[in-house]
Amino acid sequence: MTRLWNAPDDFPDEMLAGFTAASGRWVRQVPGGVVRSTRDPRPTVSVVVGGGSGHYPAFAGLVGPGLAHGAAVGNPFSSPSARQVESVARAADQGRGVLLCYGNYAGDVLHFGEAEAAVRADGIDCRTVRVTDDIFSAPAGRAEQRRGIAGDFTVFKVAGAAAAAGHEMDTVEALARRANERTRSMGVAFSGCRLPGATEPLFTVPEGRMAIGLGIHGEPGIAEVDMPTADGLAELFVERLLSAEEVPVPDGPRGARVVALLNGLGSVKYEELYVVYRRVAEVLDAAGVTVADPHVGEYCTSFDMAGVSLTLLWLDDELERLWSAPADTPAFRTGSVDTSLLLPAQIAPDVESGSEPLPESSQVSRRLAARIVTTLDASHTAIDAAAEELGRIDAVAGDGDHGVGMRRGTRAAARAATEVAARGAGALTTLHAAADAWSDKAGGTSGAIWAVILRAVGRELGDDREPTREDLVRGLNRAVEEVTSYGKAAVGDKTLVDALVPLADTFAAAVEAGTDPTAAWSQAAAAAETAAQATADLLPHRGRARTHGERSLGTPDPGAVSLAALARVVEQSFTTVG
């Protein structure tokens, strides 16, 4: 279990502050994460990595000369928000472009993608390489759907070395993609981890059994098998990674050279890892595979999960040169970096928060903004009470962080809305401030999606008019359109969309039939609630739960459940707008 924390919601911020204080030789803190505290004498392409916290040394521990230029760091097991990624990318940029590199998780894809678009809109060459090394998360024929686990590290290292060598963006991107295409990983777990403040682990494994194919966010494994010996585990790893469909070199494994990375996920001791690696080395040698560079230790963890993964990077001459190039970071050092050539980082001045002028607003819109604040306050209260249950149902087939993320998001949204409404903001500006804060503090898929919902509704309400019930209908319909376009989910995929669509459709039908808005919203909230509970009978087709299939049967989708709960809050505190 995670034992040392103050307030659970403050854990990621306090962790990052402590890390920066201890690692000032390499990094400095910026909003959303860290960037290098030094810069090269000549500008290079900047490699920005990132993901949720709880995985150290991924991601902040890999920032330094020869590796990453910055890391965006989210809440435990949740992607950083788009604003956090954008902040780190802009701080790391040296004028030759920014390569974003991260594991292929739904929330990361949404937030990093939004940040990439914002940075590119300002004329900065910004591109993305997603890591897809986990062989158990999708079959070889759908490798683009695989998630990134400890293989993140090999791709980051190659990208960072290519940038340090002075290559242009096209080359850095191509080499990072080649490293990803030639990286394969497999993980197992013996017990789950417990997030700060949680009372139960995210999953358990029966005594004498082992979960195989787990992720790094506390997701349970794909299957369970009897606990093997150390040699048996080593043989399982190598057998699976050397299977015909997984060897990414055309002539087969014999004669190939690899980097072998045996990774502890949090509480497996180094001595145990070395016992396993002893047999890994023997089996690879018997298969004719040369380990050019072995590494045993912790490279991508999952808090205190008892688990192990093996990663193989299949080398060619260029990848081997880049892998062997010097690097100097808080968590990984190899070769000799000439630090005498490094210069102090250029630090942009901070912009005072809350100093931006607000758009003009009408009195009626300001009254509506006050009601929005009341609703968001009530939303945070409701989610705070439900957070533990939301986390429980999320942990059945996911990473168990939905309740924590929703609690952080609703709290931040309520605070931001209160601040701008007190300064005279109208409904649109208040909802957009709440959306930015929700996304920023919650991170993850839910943070991104709720920001889309609030912004969509806000655009229809405006700042300078008295909105009608038809405006709210259009706002909900716009939210459906933008959420489904943004997240690519449809009804039946077992996501928040399964509750959002009935909410919008029922409200629109009731309003069109002439029903009073208060009654219309009550009908819509009931429809959302019924639809959310019905997701228990669905199989997931999106997000992290997708890889666990039937495990989630019988449990409703946490995103749909939380949306239905907030629809009931609106019914109680804010049911009419016109």
Side-chain angles (χ1 to χ4, degrees):
M1 62 181 291
T2 305
R3 298 173 178 84
L4 299 176
W5 42 270
N6 296 310
D9 285 1
D10 295 333
F11 184 89
D13 293 336
E14 293 179 347
M15 175 277 299
L16 198 60
F19 167 73
T20 307
S23 307
R25 168 185 155 192
W26 297 277
V27 302
R28 62 183 177 87
Q29 191 167 356
V30 297
V34 296
V35 295
R36 291 186 192 176
S37 56
T38 60
R39 59 187 173 93
D40 295 321
R42 53 176 185 148
T44 69
V45 170
S46 297
V47 176
V48 170
V49 303
S53 53
H55 304 305
Y56 190 87
F59 297 89
L62 303 178
V63 175
L67 227 154
H69 295 75
V73 182
N75 293 319
F77 298 170
S78 292
S79 66
S81 71
R83 290 208 304 176
Q84 289 174 311
V85 177
E86 183 182 349
S87 167
V88 174
R90 292 184 186 280
D93 178 43
Q94 303 175 74
R96 295 188 63 187
V98 178
L99 180 69
L100 304 176
C101 202
Y102 52 91
N104 189 32
Y105 291 86
D108 293 291
V109 172
L110 293 175
H111 286 289
F112 277 85
E114 185 178 336
E116 178 185 0
V119 171
R120 290 177 70 89
D122 284 346
I124 298 172
D125 186 1
C126 188
R127 308 185 195 180
T128 287
V129 173
R130 303 174 193 164
V131 184
T132 55
D133 59 301
D134 178 17
I135 67 171
F136 268 87
S137 53
R142 299 203 305 271
E144 74 284 351
Q145 296 179 7
R146 290 177 168 179
R147 61 195 173 192
I149 52 175
D152 283 359
F153 175 59
T154 63
V155 180
F156 297 169
K157 175 62 174 69
V158 167
H167 291 302
E168 297 292 334
M169 174 63 86
D170 287 346
T171 303
V172 175
E173 180 187 12
L175 287 166
R177 292 192 185 281
R178 190 195 308 175
N180 180 56
E181 290 163 1
R182 296 170 73 102
T183 298
R184 302 287 188 276
S185 299
M186 173 186 169
V188 301
F190 320 117
S191 69
C193 59
R194 189 179 301 177
L195 296 177
T199 58
E200 299 293 334
L202 293 178
F203 68 92
T204 58
V205 181
E207 187 72 23
R209 301 279 284 175
M210 176 180 75
I212 61 174
L214 75 154
I216 58 166
H217 295 93
E219 307 98 326
I222 305 300
E224 286 180 2
V225 299
D226 288 339
M227 181 74 180
T229 62
D231 282 1
L233 177 57
E235 291 159 7
L236 174 64
F237 277 150
V238 177
E239 176 188 352
R240 294 298 183 96
L241 293 176
L242 294 192
S243 61
E245 65 271 19
E246 297 302 346
V247 175
V249 289
D251 298 327
R254 188 160 294 277
R257 293 170 64 81
V258 301
V259 171
L261 193 79
L262 189 66
N263 173 61
L265 280 156
S267 64
V268 176
K269 302 303 294 182
Y270 274 63
E271 287 86 347
E272 298 173 88
L273 295 175
Y274 283 120
V275 172
V276 175
Y277 185 76
R278 163 194 142 275
R279 184 59 179 156
V280 167
E282 292 173 350
V283 179
L284 287 172
D285 182 65
V289 178
T290 298
V291 179
D293 192 18
H295 288 269
V296 177
E298 293 184 346
Y299 298 93
C300 188
T301 60
S302 186
F303 275 112
D304 64 333
M305 182 189 292
V308 185
S309 65
L310 178 64
T311 297
L312 298 180
L313 165 61
W314 297 80
L315 297 167
D316 58 25
D317 289 345
E318 190 164 23
L319 289 179
E320 187 162 358
R321 281 194 299 272
L322 293 168
W323 176 263
S324 302
D328 182 22
T329 77
F332 181 79
R333 298 163 212 170
T334 185
S336 178
V337 174
D338 188 352
T339 57
S340 68
L341 300 177
L342 300 177
L343 304 173
Q346 295 175 326
I347 303 175
D350 291 332
V351 177
E352 184 180 353
S353 177
S355 61
E356 307 85 357
L358 296 176
E360 291 186 7
S361 60
S362 65
Q363 184 176 6
V364 68
S365 188
R366 290 193 294 273
R367 286 199 301 267
L368 180 55
R371 298 175 69 184
I372 290 170
V373 169
T374 300
T375 303
L376 288 171
D377 280 335
S379 297
H380 173 58
T381 300
I383 290 297
D384 195 45
E388 186 172 346
E389 174 63 9
L390 291 172
R392 185 194 67 79
I393 62 176
D394 187 36
V396 171
D399 56 13
D401 69 343
H402 184 73
V404 174
M406 287 291 292
R407 185 171 63 203
R408 290 191 180 107
T410 52
R411 179 176 67 176
R415 287 177 175 175
T418 299
E419 189 275 328
V420 296
R423 293 170 53 204
L428 181 154
T429 299
T430 298
L431 281 172
H432 281 207
D436 288 344
W438 194 322
S439 173
D440 201 33
K441 291 301 182 181
T445 306
S446 66
I449 295 300
W450 273 101
V452 170
I453 293 171
L454 295 184
R455 290 184 188 119
V457 173
R459 283 193 291 273
E460 294 300 327
L461 299 184
D463 274 333
D464 57 357
R465 64 183 185 275
E466 182 173 5
T468 65
R469 67 194 70 182
E470 289 76 19
D471 290 327
L472 185 53
V473 168
R474 284 192 294 271
L476 288 173
N477 288 337
R478 182 192 284 261
V480 170
E481 293 171 5
E482 295 187 8
V483 166
T484 53
S485 174
Y486 188 60
K488 310 303 180 188
V491 171
D493 282 345
K494 196 164 186 170
T495 70
L496 168 150
V497 170
D498 288 297
L500 177 61
V501 169
L503 177 76
D505 287 352
T506 303
F507 184 73
V511 167
E512 186 176 354
T515 305
D516 174 82
T518 300
W521 190 268
S522 295
Q523 293 175 23
E529 200 167 59
T530 299
Q533 292 305 312
T535 61
D537 299 326
L538 299 176
L539 285 171
H541 299 291
R542 294 280 173 180
R544 294 173 190 162
R546 170 184 57 82
T547 59
H548 300 289
E550 293 185 1
R551 184 188 293 269
S552 70
L553 280 176
T555 303
D557 177 71
V561 170
S562 58
L563 183 138
L566 293 189
R568 286 297 191 188
V569 171
V570 174
E571 177 188 13
Q572 296 162 11
S573 65
F574 188 58
T575 56
T576 177
V577 298

